[in-house]
Structure formats: structure tokens, C-alpha cells
Amino acid sequence: MNTGMNVMSTGWTERAAAPGAAVGVVLALVGLAIVGMLIGAFVWGRRRQDRAPRPPRPEEQPRLPGGRPSGPVQEVREPDELPPDSPRLTPHQLRHSSTRSSADQEPSKWSGGGSGAFGSGGPGGKQG
């Protein structure tokens, strides 16, 4: 009976010394190295976050400019035309925009048959 026990323990030693067992040990070491790198990356990121400046308090936040909208504006504009008898303007005398805000901010309504585009099936203009 003693001999059977020796055979079993000898078989285990032979299997442990086989090339397949070395692959298992190497994979375990690679797994431990990856876990160590992940923990190190977490600690490094935490330290870096601790060194970053704190977010601004509400009173330190930037304010919107006064008197101007902060986003896009939708308004009715009209041409800023010159009177017919005015002298000719040179480019440096022109203003930035050739339109101005209209006094009437109600959008214009299309009259029936007044806006026929090519291929729309309409007459393309008023039939008068």
C-alpha cells in the first residue's frame, strides 16, 4: 500500500514539471502583473486628481454679458438702404451690417400663390 502512495505523489510531481504547468505559472504571473498595473494606474490618477485645481464656486463663475443675448437671436430684419440722393460711400464708410432690426417684429405672411418655386406646381406668381 505504501507503494501506491509513492506512485500517486510521483505522478503529481511529474505533471507539475510538465511544460503545460509552466504555461499556467506564467499566465498567473502575467495576470498578477496586469492587476498591479491597474491598481497603480488608479493610484496615479487619484493623486493627479487631488493636485488639480478645485472647480470654481458659484460666485466665481463667469457672468453673461449685460444687454446682449448669449445665444442665437431670431428677429425680423430690414435693409438699411441709403436715400437715392445721398453721396456715394467708400468701403471704410460702410457699416458692419447692411440690415437693421425692423420696428415690426411680426414675421410677414405669404400671400396665396405668391411663392411658387420651380417644380412646386403653383403658378409661380400672383395672377392679377
Side-chain angles (χ1 to χ4, degrees), residues 39-63:
I39 291 172
F42 178 78
V43 170
W44 177 73
R46 196 62 133 152
R47 287 182 182 167
R48 187 173 175 195
Q49 187 178 22
D50 289 342
R51 285 191 304 253
R54 65 167 175 72
R57 291 187 294 255
E59 60 270 6
E60 297 171 343
Q61 295 287 336
R63 300 284 175 225

Side-chain angles (χ1 to χ4, degrees), residues 67-80:
R68 292 187 308 177
S70 61
V73 176
Q74 193 170 16
E75 65 179 345
V76 177
R77 310 274 303 170
E78 60 185 23
D80 193 13

Side-chain angles (χ1 to χ4, degrees), residues 54-125:
R54 65 167 175 72
R57 291 187 294 255
E59 60 270 6
E60 297 171 343
Q61 295 287 336
R63 300 284 175 225
L64 291 174
R68 292 187 308 177
S70 61
V73 176
Q74 193 170 16
E75 65 179 345
V76 177
R77 310 274 303 170
E78 60 185 23
D80 193 13
E81 297 175 350
L82 296 173
D85 58 343
S86 68
R88 185 177 201 172
L89 296 177
T90 58
H92 71 274
Q93 293 172 316
L94 295 174
R95 289 187 287 269
H96 175 66
S97 176
S98 62
T99 62
R100 65 177 185 271
S101 184
S102 177
D104 181 24
Q105 287 296 312
E106 188 67 31
S108 61
K109 304 289 185 216
W110 291 105
S111 58
S115 73
F118 178 74
S120 67

